Amino acid sequence: MTPSGTEGYAEKAGRLVKRYEALSFEEKHAPVLHLLPAAPASIADIGAGTGADAAWLASRGHRVVAVEPTAPLREAGMALHAAQPIEWIDDSLPALAWLHGREAAFDAVLLTAVWMHLDAAQRRRAMAAVAALLAPGGLLLMSLRHGPVPAGRRMFDVTAQETIALAREHGLRAVFEARNASLQPENIAAGVAWTRLAFRA
């Protein structure tokens, strides 16, 4: 069964692999690089896609768990980044049931281009699940997409204000907020923008 919010990704995995691997971690996450914990840290990349970010983090000495529910993307990532010690998990928001079953705390959690796939009720459940994964002082990095929804996808326009308020309810303090244009040519042409948010547990 396709997890809610992942519609359209398996069918276009071939094209998406190239897009996901085209931008470096430094390009995508430039505004928040200074917030990343020092290595070795325990990091969960939720909605890891092809694992480009997970691979970069692992190459810097972090212990990385890559969570990706779309099999073609996960399998491509496992092949592309086999040289890096990434632990791959088939799990999904809002519950993250498998990840929670490990009873592990993370120094950082990444939710890159993920949150807008969840409806309001799912976002409430997911924030509780994600907050529970963070160690004291742990970092949550999120990006929210704004712009037209690609055909076949499920997305919602989620504001920074809503997200900050929801995070606050679960003991997460906002430490960074910025809005930027997209870096990918297809998104630039469509007028897509992103909000970057960071929280501390």
Side-chain angles (χ1 to χ4, degrees), residues 87-198:
E87 180 181 359
W88 285 90
I89 293 176
D90 177 5
D91 203 357
S92 61
L93 291 164
L96 294 172
W98 203 99
L99 198 57
H100 272 285
R102 298 159 52 99
E103 298 184 357
F106 293 92
D107 300 307
V109 171
L110 275 64
L111 284 166
T112 305
V114 169
W115 202 245
M116 71 278 182
H117 292 300
L118 306 175
D119 65 28
Q122 291 172 324
R123 293 195 296 272
R124 286 192 292 272
R125 289 183 60 204
M127 189 63 81
V130 171
L133 291 173
L134 287 167
L139 175 72
L140 170 60
L141 294 177
M142 302 176 68
S143 60
L144 311 176
R145 185 185 187 278
H146 311 287
V149 179
R153 305 277 180 83
R154 177 186 189 259
M155 295 184 187
F156 303 88
D157 192 14
V158 186
T159 67
Q161 292 76 13
E162 174 203 302
T163 309
I164 291 169
L166 185 57
R168 188 185 303 119
E169 292 177 14
H170 295 282
L172 304 180
R173 175 175 55 92
V175 295
F176 183 87
E177 177 186 351
R179 183 165 172 139
N180 305 99
S182 180
L183 298 174
Q184 294 182 328
E186 289 183 34
N187 282 347
I188 292 171
V192 173
W194 295 89
T195 296
R196 305 300 304 255
L197 297 171

Side-chain angles (χ1 to χ4, degrees), residues 10-73:
E11 296 83 351
K12 292 190 168 68
R15 282 185 59 210
L16 293 173
V17 168
K18 295 177 182 178
R19 287 185 64 184
Y20 291 171
E21 294 291 318
L23 290 176
S24 70
F25 187 96
E26 293 95 331
E27 288 175 300
K28 282 186 284 186
H29 300 283
V32 293
L33 286 176
H34 65 288
L35 296 173
L36 289 173
S42 179
I43 300 179
D45 185 6
I46 299 172
T50 59
D53 289 353
W56 186 92
L57 291 163
S59 74
R60 267 65 181 177
H62 296 293
R63 301 179 300 276
V64 184
V65 176
V67 180
E68 178 49 57
T70 301
L73 295 178

